PDB file of all heavy atoms in Angstrom:
ATOM      1  N   ASP A  10      45.223 155.465 -52.418  1.00  0.00           N
ATOM      2  CA  ASP A  10      45.478 154.158 -51.806  1.00  0.00           C
ATOM      3  C   ASP A  10      46.723 154.301 -50.932  1.00  0.00           C
ATOM      4  O   ASP A  10      46.782 155.191 -50.095  1.00  0.00           O
ATOM      5  CB  ASP A  10      45.621 153.063 -52.866  1.00  0.00           C
ATOM      6  CG  ASP A  10      44.390 152.959 -53.768  1.00  0.00           C
ATOM      7  OD1 ASP A  10      43.263 153.111 -53.244  1.00  0.00           O
ATOM      8  OD2 ASP A  10      44.560 152.741 -54.977  1.00  0.00           O
ATOM      9  N   ASP A  11      47.706 153.477 -51.138  1.00  0.00           N
ATOM     10  CA  ASP A  11      48.935 153.566 -50.339  1.00  0.00           C
ATOM     11  C   ASP A  11      50.057 154.247 -51.102  1.00  0.00           C
ATOM     12  O   ASP A  11      51.233 154.069 -50.772  1.00  0.00           O
ATOM     13  CB  ASP A  11      49.396 152.159 -49.921  1.00  0.00           C
ATOM     14  CG  ASP A  11      48.423 151.513 -48.952  1.00  0.00           C
ATOM     15  OD1 ASP A  11      47.779 152.239 -48.176  1.00  0.00           O
ATOM     16  OD2 ASP A  11      48.315 150.267 -48.976  1.00  0.00           O
ATOM     17  N   HIS A  12      49.702 155.036 -52.116  1.00  0.00           N
ATOM     18  CA  HIS A  12      50.711 155.659 -52.974  1.00  0.00           C
ATOM     19  C   HIS A  12      50.712 157.172 -52.812  1.00  0.00           C
ATOM     20  O   HIS A  12      49.664 157.799 -52.676  1.00  0.00           O
ATOM     21  CB  HIS A  12      50.445 155.305 -54.444  1.00  0.00           C
ATOM     22  CG  HIS A  12      50.494 153.844 -54.706  1.00  0.00           C
ATOM     23  ND1 HIS A  12      51.680 153.146 -54.811  1.00  0.00           N
ATOM     24  CD2 HIS A  12      49.499 152.934 -54.872  1.00  0.00           C
ATOM     25  CE1 HIS A  12      51.419 151.874 -55.033  1.00  0.00           C
ATOM     26  NE2 HIS A  12      50.098 151.717 -55.075  1.00  0.00           N
ATOM     27  N   ARG A  13      51.907 157.731 -52.882  1.00  0.00           N
ATOM     28  CA  ARG A  13      52.085 159.178 -52.816  1.00  0.00           C
ATOM     29  C   ARG A  13      52.145 159.694 -54.252  1.00  0.00           C
ATOM     30  O   ARG A  13      53.016 159.290 -55.032  1.00  0.00           O
ATOM     31  CB  ARG A  13      53.384 159.507 -52.095  1.00  0.00           C
ATOM     32  CG  ARG A  13      53.713 160.963 -52.015  1.00  0.00           C
ATOM     33  CD  ARG A  13      52.795 161.641 -51.064  1.00  0.00           C
ATOM     34  NE  ARG A  13      53.452 162.754 -50.417  1.00  0.00           N
ATOM     35  CZ  ARG A  13      52.941 163.334 -49.366  1.00  0.00           C
ATOM     36  NH1 ARG A  13      51.824 162.910 -48.849  1.00  0.00           N
ATOM     37  NH2 ARG A  13      53.535 164.350 -48.841  1.00  0.00           N
ATOM     38  N   ILE A  14      51.218 160.581 -54.602  1.00  0.00           N
ATOM     39  CA  ILE A  14      51.202 161.207 -55.919  1.00  0.00           C
ATOM     40  C   ILE A  14      51.761 162.612 -55.758  1.00  0.00           C
ATOM     41  O   ILE A  14      51.280 163.384 -54.928  1.00  0.00           O
ATOM     42  CB  ILE A  14      49.770 161.268 -56.500  1.00  0.00           C
ATOM     43  CG1 ILE A  14      49.106 159.888 -56.459  1.00  0.00           C
ATOM     44  CG2 ILE A  14      49.797 161.868 -57.896  1.00  0.00           C
ATOM     45  CD1 ILE A  14      49.836 158.795 -57.198  1.00  0.00           C
ATOM     46  N   SER A  15      52.777 162.930 -56.543  1.00  0.00           N
ATOM     47  CA  SER A  15      53.412 164.245 -56.483  1.00  0.00           C
ATOM     48  C   SER A  15      53.306 164.914 -57.846  1.00  0.00           C
ATOM     49  O   SER A  15      53.458 164.265 -58.885  1.00  0.00           O
ATOM     50  CB  SER A  15      54.892 164.118 -56.115  1.00  0.00           C
ATOM     51  OG  SER A  15      55.043 163.459 -54.879  1.00  0.00           O
ATOM     52  N   LEU A  16      53.045 166.201 -57.827  1.00  0.00           N
ATOM     53  CA  LEU A  16      53.076 167.029 -59.031  1.00  0.00           C
ATOM     54  C   LEU A  16      54.373 167.809 -58.967  1.00  0.00           C
ATOM     55  O   LEU A  16      54.578 168.621 -58.053  1.00  0.00           O
ATOM     56  CB  LEU A  16      51.861 167.948 -59.088  1.00  0.00           C
ATOM     57  CG  LEU A  16      50.505 167.229 -59.071  1.00  0.00           C
ATOM     58  CD1 LEU A  16      49.367 168.250 -59.103  1.00  0.00           C
ATOM     59  CD2 LEU A  16      50.387 166.252 -60.205  1.00  0.00           C
ATOM     60  N   LEU A  17      55.259 167.543 -59.920  1.00  0.00           N
ATOM     61  CA  LEU A  17      56.621 168.062 -59.888  1.00  0.00           C
ATOM     62  C   LEU A  17      56.878 168.984 -61.075  1.00  0.00           C
ATOM     63  O   LEU A  17      56.375 168.735 -62.179  1.00  0.00           O
ATOM     64  CB  LEU A  17      57.619 166.908 -59.982  1.00  0.00           C
ATOM     65  CG  LEU A  17      57.409 165.717 -59.061  1.00  0.00           C
ATOM     66  CD1 LEU A  17      58.335 164.574 -59.454  1.00  0.00           C
ATOM     67  CD2 LEU A  17      57.616 166.122 -57.618  1.00  0.00           C
ATOM     68  N   LEU A  18      57.710 169.989 -60.867  1.00  0.00           N
ATOM     69  CA  LEU A  18      58.183 170.748 -62.014  1.00  0.00           C
ATOM     70  C   LEU A  18      59.025 169.813 -62.877  1.00  0.00           C
ATOM     71  O   LEU A  18      59.769 168.981 -62.351  1.00  0.00           O
ATOM     72  CB  LEU A  18      59.011 171.954 -61.565  1.00  0.00           C
ATOM     73  CG  LEU A  18      58.221 173.095 -60.948  1.00  0.00           C
ATOM     74  CD1 LEU A  18      59.163 174.216 -60.521  1.00  0.00           C
ATOM     75  CD2 LEU A  18      57.165 173.629 -61.896  1.00  0.00           C
ATOM     76  N   PRO A  19      58.892 169.913 -64.196  1.00  0.00           N
ATOM     77  CA  PRO A  19      59.637 168.997 -65.070  1.00  0.00           C
ATOM     78  C   PRO A  19      61.135 169.267 -65.022  1.00  0.00           C
ATOM     79  O   PRO A  19      61.567 170.412 -65.073  1.00  0.00           O
ATOM     80  CB  PRO A  19      59.064 169.272 -66.459  1.00  0.00           C
ATOM     81  CG  PRO A  19      58.389 170.589 -66.370  1.00  0.00           C
ATOM     82  CD  PRO A  19      58.030 170.823 -64.942  1.00  0.00           C
ATOM     83  N   GLU A  20      61.904 168.191 -64.901  1.00  0.00           N
ATOM     84  CA  GLU A  20      63.363 168.274 -64.881  1.00  0.00           C
ATOM     85  C   GLU A  20      63.922 167.204 -65.808  1.00  0.00           C
ATOM     86  O   GLU A  20      63.319 166.145 -65.990  1.00  0.00           O
ATOM     87  CB  GLU A  20      63.884 168.069 -63.457  1.00  0.00           C
ATOM     88  CG  GLU A  20      63.415 169.159 -62.499  1.00  0.00           C
ATOM     89  CD  GLU A  20      63.887 168.937 -61.067  1.00  0.00           C
ATOM     90  OE1 GLU A  20      64.694 168.007 -60.828  1.00  0.00           O
ATOM     91  OE2 GLU A  20      63.435 169.680 -60.192  1.00  0.00           O
ATOM     92  N   LYS A  21      65.110 167.489 -66.360  1.00  0.00           N
ATOM     93  CA  LYS A  21      65.702 166.569 -67.332  1.00  0.00           C
ATOM     94  C   LYS A  21      65.935 165.178 -66.763  1.00  0.00           C
ATOM     95  O   LYS A  21      65.893 164.200 -67.499  1.00  0.00           O
ATOM     96  CB  LYS A  21      66.994 167.151 -67.894  1.00  0.00           C
ATOM     97  CG  LYS A  21      66.739 168.278 -68.897  1.00  0.00           C
ATOM     98  CD  LYS A  21      68.000 168.950 -69.359  1.00  0.00           C
ATOM     99  CE  LYS A  21      68.813 168.045 -70.232  1.00  0.00           C
ATOM    100  NZ  LYS A  21      69.977 168.702 -70.840  1.00  0.00           N
ATOM    101  N   ASP A  22      66.144 165.072 -65.438  1.00  0.00           N
ATOM    102  CA  ASP A  22      66.380 163.748 -64.871  1.00  0.00           C
ATOM    103  C   ASP A  22      65.120 162.875 -64.853  1.00  0.00           C
ATOM    104  O   ASP A  22      65.186 161.687 -64.551  1.00  0.00           O
ATOM    105  CB  ASP A  22      67.014 163.839 -63.478  1.00  0.00           C
ATOM    106  CG  ASP A  22      66.110 164.454 -62.426  1.00  0.00           C
ATOM    107  OD1 ASP A  22      64.997 164.916 -62.748  1.00  0.00           O
ATOM    108  OD2 ASP A  22      66.530 164.474 -61.249  1.00  0.00           O
ATOM    109  N   GLN A  23      63.973 163.430 -65.229  1.00  0.00           N
ATOM    110  CA  GLN A  23      62.735 162.656 -65.356  1.00  0.00           C
ATOM    111  C   GLN A  23      62.600 162.027 -66.746  1.00  0.00           C
ATOM    112  O   GLN A  23      61.714 161.194 -66.975  1.00  0.00           O
ATOM    113  CB  GLN A  23      61.515 163.555 -65.098  1.00  0.00           C
ATOM    114  CG  GLN A  23      61.482 164.159 -63.717  1.00  0.00           C
ATOM    115  CD  GLN A  23      60.538 165.346 -63.621  1.00  0.00           C
ATOM    116  OE1 GLN A  23      59.930 165.758 -64.602  1.00  0.00           O
ATOM    117  NE2 GLN A  23      60.420 165.896 -62.424  1.00  0.00           N
TER     118      GLN A  23
END
Side-chain angles (χ1 to χ4, degrees):
D10 303 322
D11 293 329
H12 300 283
R13 177 71 149 193
I14 308 302
S15 302
L16 302 179
L17 312 170
L18 287 179
E20 297 178 7
K21 285 174 70 173
D22 66 355
Q23 299 162 357

